[in-house]
Amino acid sequence: MFDIIKKKRDGLELSQEEIQLLIDGLVAGTIPDYQISAFLMALYFRGMNDVETAYLTSAVLQSGEQIDLSDIEGVIVDKHSTGGVGDKTTIVLAPLVAAAGVPVAKMSGRGLGHTGGTIDKLESFDGFDVDISIPDFIQKVKTHQVALCGQSANLVPADKKLYALRDVTATINNRALITSSIMSKKLACGADAIVIDMKLGNGAFIQTLEKAEDLGQMMIRIGQKMNRQVAIIISAMDQPLGFSVGNALEVKEAIETLKGNGPDDLVELCLVLGANMLLFANKVKSLEEGKETLQQLLDNGTALQKFKELIQSQGGDITMVDQPNLLPCSSHSYTYNSPQSGYISQLSAFEIGRASVALGAGRITKKSKIDLGAGILLKKKIGDRVEAGEPLAILYAANQACFEKATSYLDLAYDFSDNKVTASPIIIKTL
Ligand code: URA
């Protein structure tokens, strides 16, 4: 392991055998966390070329079991986000696309850095079980057209370990690590085609369009090597998606969206991602037709019904869907008021993400326990007019002490302008 770390530190290319050795040792637990962490930092700075990334993806994919969905009819299409703040897209999209008749077998992750994770969010439902066995997972997709699972011990265990270490060693945003992490999970879950929501902006792990395109092209090439179609939707993450940030708060907003009352940016993103999924699955002939089909399923309650079916099939309490006030909510709240009048010109998703972690909605160490009821409810977003002293956000936490740190991040999050400001469109580019 010393030699592998040194080789990467010095910017040299690793062989397939070396990458395999590393992943085998990681999974077997024979390489200590401090050596893996040192390797991750060397890789963060030195990067990996396409060949190394393909070897890494394949070693991570093969570190555990793979789900065979070949006896489910039709094209299995999966979606993944590169991670954002307030990103509750999967909670809406998985039942929505399933309601359109396309099977969704999705493995999701937990929070990473200042970004949230779908699995943490769904655990807001009492009883909701993400640790389902592979046969059970397959059966659920067959019966309900949708199932969501976490990374149980035998599905891509290498990514699970790397992910947890990257989260706490500031080594998340590296193209080889992001590519291998996402593609290995999608391939292990049996996806024929993959739609990636590539977040771009201060709240994302990718901050320039050039880097987003570069990462996107790499994912498309890795997908092609493995005979999978990949579409990349580059979407804005300069401000949080929707108005809620934090696990149960986001679930509540997702439920409203499934009822047809979602915020514009979230709805548009779900329709575009979903339409691409329907197109890959040959359910529609154009993206426009896909968007229309999905909008109808939101408007007529079919998507919400499918969501209830999903929650119930995995042991969750569906009374919480009908009565979202039963979902966890932290006992203390604090109203953050605007320091000045003007139009909001900046609402940094990164600072809002950090504030929500400070409130207890994310993890600070690998073992941190998150507070499902903690988070932030935004009252205003970029382009909105606000008067001095008017509420900008409501903060929720289990204890009062969290508010001081969180508000110090909020102080950095906002900028104001005397002139009208227009928020950038949610969809930036499709590859
Ligand atoms: N999501 C993942 O699953 N992996 C990453 O590396 C980043 C976002």
Side-chain angles (χ1 to χ4, degrees):
M1 191 57 200
F2 179 90
D3 293 335
I4 293 176
I5 297 171
K6 184 164 170 296
K7 204 168 165 187
K8 196 33 80 187
R9 184 201 67 189
D10 295 341
L12 300 175
E13 182 175 335
L14 296 180
S15 68
Q16 184 172 14
E17 291 68 34
E18 285 163 327
I19 291 173
Q20 194 63 54
L21 201 115
L22 171 97
I23 296 301
D24 289 347
L26 169 78
V27 176
T30 51
I31 305 174
D33 278 2
Y34 54 80
Q35 281 190 313
I36 301 288
S37 301
F39 172 78
L40 287 172
M41 192 55 83
L43 167 52
Y44 177 87
F45 283 112
R46 291 301 195 165
M48 272 185 168
N49 62 26
D50 269 20
V51 177
E52 291 172 288
T53 308
Y55 288 146
L56 181 65
T57 306
S58 138
V60 175
L61 165 66
Q62 282 160 26
S63 67
E65 283 180 61
Q66 292 174 49
I67 300 180
D68 180 3
L69 296 174
S70 54
D71 61 337
I72 296 180
E73 236 178 81
V75 182
I76 308 288
V77 189
D78 203 348
K79 164 267 168 190
H80 204 86
S81 149
T82 56
V85 178
D87 184 11
K88 63 284 290 175
T89 312
T90 293
I91 304 173
V92 179
L93 201 57
L96 178 58
V97 170
V102 176
V104 179
K106 174 136 177 54
M107 186 198 299
S108 287
R110 296 195 179 270
L112 191 62
H114 63 281
T115 70
T118 303
I119 292 300
D120 293 330
K121 292 172 201 182
L122 286 173
E123 284 181 347
S124 301
F125 288 99
D126 282 347
F128 190 84
D129 187 10
V130 292
D131 289 325
I132 45 183
S133 70
I134 294 178
D136 198 14
F137 182 72
I138 296 174
Q139 192 51 49
K140 285 189 191 330
V141 180
K142 281 186 181 164
T143 316
H144 305 287
Q145 294 79 48
V146 57
L148 287 166
C149 68
Q151 273 164 281
S152 58
N154 45 358
L155 278 175
V156 275
D159 180 59
K160 192 176 184 186
K161 290 194 168 184
L162 287 176
Y163 200 84
L165 278 176
R166 288 166 62 208
D167 191 17
V168 291
T169 56
T171 53
I172 297 168
N173 32 349
N174 168 276
R175 67 205 271 276
L177 288 171
I178 296 178
T179 300
S180 57
S181 166
I182 293 181
M183 297 301 279
S184 62
K185 284 197 282 270
K186 302 297 96 181
L187 296 170
C189 260
D192 299 311
I194 301 158
V195 176
I196 306 282
D197 178 9
M198 173 91 63
K199 305 288 191 191
L200 168 62
N202 62 59
F205 297 122
I206 304 124
Q207 258 116 60
T208 66
L209 183 56
E210 200 189 348
K211 283 193 176 157
E213 286 178 329
D214 173 52
L215 175 60
Q217 297 296 0
M218 179 182 241
M219 287 181 159
I220 291 172
R221 287 195 300 273
I222 299 280
Q224 274 164 352
K225 270 194 210 304
M226 301 189 171
N227 292 321
R228 302 307 200 282
Q229 299 188 83
V230 179
I232 308 283
I233 315 298
I234 302 178
S235 72
M237 187 33 74
D238 47 352
Q239 63 175 337
L241 190 62
F243 288 88
S244 64
V245 180
N247 301 286
L249 287 171
E250 292 188 37
V251 168
K252 286 180 196 168
E253 192 168 45
I255 294 172
E256 276 309 304
T257 306
L258 285 161
K259 286 180 179 162
N261 308 320
D264 293 348
D265 55 354
L266 175 62
V267 174
E268 173 67 5
L269 182 59
C270 288
L271 294 181
V272 171
L273 293 170
N276 275 278
M277 293 169 81
L278 264 48
L279 204 55
F280 270 153
N282 303 317
K283 277 278 166 194
V284 291
K285 296 209 165 39
S286 68
L287 289 176
E288 263 332 293
E289 187 192 339
K291 285 173 75 174
E292 276 165 29
T293 306
L294 297 170
Q295 184 67 61
Q296 275 169 17
L297 296 169
L298 287 177
D299 294 340
N300 66 19
T302 318
L304 181 67
Q305 204 45 46
K306 187 54 89 179
F307 180 62
K308 284 189 188 173
E309 192 180 328
L310 163 69
I311 297 299
Q312 191 161 39
S313 76
Q314 296 193 212
D317 178 0
I318 55 163
T319 53
M320 293 172 125
V321 182
D322 294 322
Q323 297 172 59
N325 57 329
L326 296 177
L327 286 159
C329 182
S330 295
S331 45
H332 292 81
S333 67
Y334 175 93
T335 303
Y336 181 79
N337 294 323
S338 182
Q340 66 182 85
S341 300
Y343 293 94
I344 298 178
S345 57
Q346 184 173 307
L347 169 49
S348 162
F350 175 61
E351 299 299 349
I352 297 288
R354 291 214 293 173
S356 89
V357 173
L359 292 169
R363 292 179 186 79
I364 291 168
T365 71
K366 256 168 77 172
K367 293 199 177 126
S368 303
K369 196 170 159 18
I370 57 172
D371 175 2
L372 292 168
I376 302 172
L377 210 47
L378 300 169
K379 292 287 174 194
K380 305 274 177 187
K381 292 192 65 179
I382 294 179
D384 287 343
R385 169 87 203 169
V386 65
E387 303 307 323
E390 209 183 326
L392 284 176
I394 316 283
L395 279 53
Y396 296 90
N399 63 68
Q400 209 80 33
C402 300
F403 294 132
E404 196 180 326
K405 184 85 184 156
T407 52
S408 72
Y409 292 130
L410 288 190
D411 291 343
L412 301 172
Y414 291 89
D415 255 335
F416 301 87
S417 161
D418 290 335
N419 305 315
K420 276 199 163 181
V421 178
T422 320
S424 49
I426 187 72
I427 306 294
I428 298 171
K429 193 166 185 176
T430 298
L431 306 178

